[in-house]
Amino acid sequence: MASAETLDCWKARLRTSFTRALVRAEVDAPAEVASVRAEGGVVRLGAGVPSPLGFRPSWTAAMELSAEYLREKLQRDLEAEHVEVEDTTPNRCASSFRVLVVSAKFEGKPLLQRHRLVNTCLVDELPHIHAFEQKTLTPEQWAREQQK
């Protein structure tokens, strides 16, 4: 009989597959990702596995996702003035992260568009993350939160 930890790992893998489908569906959505789609890098399956269109992710599954790696990428790509990334992985069976991103690129955008910007930034990494929670704020919203 399988141990509880083994069953948890299998459940996490199943949820990860579902998450991949959701992320792909969201990233393949509207206009702000059209330029990325035109460059030909959005369609991806798993790490190291070519998609039907022949693309490969820019890194392999052997690469360890870390909070620091995600923080640097979000800060660089979204020109963020503040980024916090917390690794919330409970037992290393599947990775999970909580992020706070403060960027002027979020000005005038509703929550869904902000999240799409973050998802587009991490399009190669999200298929390998089991759970991903994000909070996106403008610099003005961040300043108000800091005063509370």
Side-chain angles (χ1 to χ4, degrees), residues 106-143:
F106 299 147
E107 295 284 347
K109 291 188 173 38
L111 184 63
L112 184 59
Q113 286 181 344
R114 293 175 185 196
H115 286 196
R116 285 181 178 152
L117 286 171
V118 171
N119 291 350
T120 300
C121 174
L122 300 177
V123 71
D124 288 333
E125 293 78 12
L126 284 176
H128 305 282
I129 297 175
H130 166 66
F132 187 74
E133 178 183 340
Q134 57 181 296
K135 184 173 185 178
T136 52
L137 300 173
T138 64
E140 182 181 312
Q141 291 171 323
W142 175 243

Side-chain angles (χ1 to χ4, degrees), residues 38-137:
E39 293 171 13
V42 173
V43 179
R44 286 173 171 68
L45 297 176
V49 178
S51 75
L53 299 178
F55 299 110
R56 287 185 181 271
S58 60
W59 57 285
T60 65
M63 178 182 178
E64 193 67 30
L65 284 177
S66 70
E68 183 61 23
Y69 170 82
L70 295 176
R71 188 190 67 73
E72 288 174 5
K73 185 164 187 187
L74 288 165
Q75 195 160 25
R76 180 185 63 243
D77 293 357
L78 295 176
E79 300 168 10
E81 68 178 53
H82 182 79
V83 178
E84 295 175 14
V85 180
E86 179 185 355
D87 185 347
T88 56
T89 307
N91 62 8
R92 296 287 170 208
C93 180
S95 60
S96 61
F97 296 93
R98 177 180 299 130
V99 302
L100 165 67
V101 183
V102 180
S103 174
K105 286 189 171 189
F106 299 147
E107 295 284 347
K109 291 188 173 38
L111 184 63
L112 184 59
Q113 286 181 344
R114 293 175 185 196
H115 286 196
R116 285 181 178 152
L117 286 171
V118 171
N119 291 350
T120 300
C121 174
L122 300 177
V123 71
D124 288 333
E125 293 78 12
L126 284 176
H128 305 282
I129 297 175
H130 166 66
F132 187 74
E133 178 183 340
Q134 57 181 296
K135 184 173 185 178
T136 52
L137 300 173

